[in-house]
Amino acid sequence: MRTSHLLAAITVAAPLLATAALSAPAHAATTTWTVVNPNSNGAFSAVSGPLVVKNKSGTMIFTCPSLTSSGSLPAGTRTTSGLGAIKYTDLITCTAPDGAAWRGQFTAAAGASNFTGKSYNPATGTTSLVNGDLFNSINLVFNTVAGNSCAFWTHHTAMTYTNATSALKATTAMVKLGKTDTGALTCQGLLTQDETITFATEYKVTPAIKITATVS
């Protein structure tokens, strides 16, 4: 198997005023993001509970005991939605329901695993994020240990971060399938290209970081 395939929108009374009003550009809302991180270099580490991976039909693919990741969420205020990135995740061993072994590994070879802020709920202190929202971004690469019958990478991972608990929760991800040496897609009967899978786990982030946003 070639792993390189892993590594893609008033009317007013006076006509003159009406014309001016219609020609004026609409005010675009601006979201200002603020990150507070006690680490001056922006670094964080995160350890999760079990990772559960299911395909779109709800079939269990495998579970992993834990994920240990690290990255950067630099302190500061910005009007861009790029907040930081996961830069590394330890090699993990996972297990399918039939006992088959899977391996998971982080790679940044095809693009940074960026955090993009999507929305903020001030009532709950929760931010909705996407991790790895570039087409060729890679979060994690998974493959069967024996036989190389299935290999895929995750991207566009939907996550939430809650300030009060420092909890970074992943819910779903999209998959890109690996190919065999003959160019055929792997994971036949288990996964399909670009499907959205359940990718459920919850990290505890250290140090306690605070993410907020205002719209003006």
Side-chain angles (χ1 to χ4, degrees):
M1 177 182 300
R2 296 194 301 268
T3 55
S4 61
H5 288 286
L6 294 175
L7 318 165
I10 298 173
T11 300
V12 295
L16 184 60
L17 291 177
T19 301
L22 291 173
S23 62
H27 173 69
T30 299
T31 300
T32 300
W33 294 92
T34 300
V35 177
V36 178
N37 185 341
N39 284 340
S40 60
N41 63 358
F44 74 88
S45 60
V47 179
S48 83
L51 169 66
V52 177
V53 178
K54 299 179 181 179
N55 64 18
K56 64 182 178 182
S57 67
T59 299
M60 176 79 72
I61 302 175
F62 54 77
T63 60
C64 312
S66 180
L67 297 176
T68 301
S69 302
S70 58
S72 178
L73 280 166
T77 298
R78 51 265 206 188
T79 55
T80 58
S81 57
L83 303 180
I86 291 178
K87 296 184 176 181
Y88 184 78
T89 298
D90 288 350
L91 178 69
I92 51 174
T93 298
C94 309
T95 307
D98 63 0
W102 285 71
R103 181 183 293 112
Q105 189 171 12
F106 175 85
T107 176
S113 189
N114 296 325
F115 285 122
T116 299
K118 306 306 273 186
S119 63
Y120 175 68
N121 185 337
T124 61
T126 300
T127 298
S128 294
L129 302 156
V130 174
N131 184 227
D133 63 347
L134 301 177
F135 175 79
N136 64 341
S137 291
I138 290 177
N139 298 144
L140 286 162
V141 175
F142 293 95
N143 66 277
T144 50
V145 172
N148 290 327
S149 62
C150 186
F152 69 94
W153 77 72
T154 59
H155 64 112
H156 281 78
T157 304
M159 309 182 90
T160 59
Y161 179 75
T162 303
N163 293 326
T165 57
S166 303
L168 179 64
K169 183 178 181 180
T171 54
T172 62
M174 289 180 65
V175 301
K176 287 291 181 183
L177 300 181
K179 296 181 179 180
T180 67
D181 289 337
T182 63
L185 293 173
T186 64
C187 307
Q188 296 302 302
L190 189 61
L191 292 167
T192 57
Q193 190 73 293
D194 298 321
E195 77 172 79
T196 298
I197 61 172
T198 297
F199 193 79
T201 192
E202 185 173 303
Y203 287 96
K204 178 70 173 183
V205 175
T206 304
I209 292 170
K210 184 176 182 179
I211 302 174
T212 57
T214 57
V215 179
S216 59

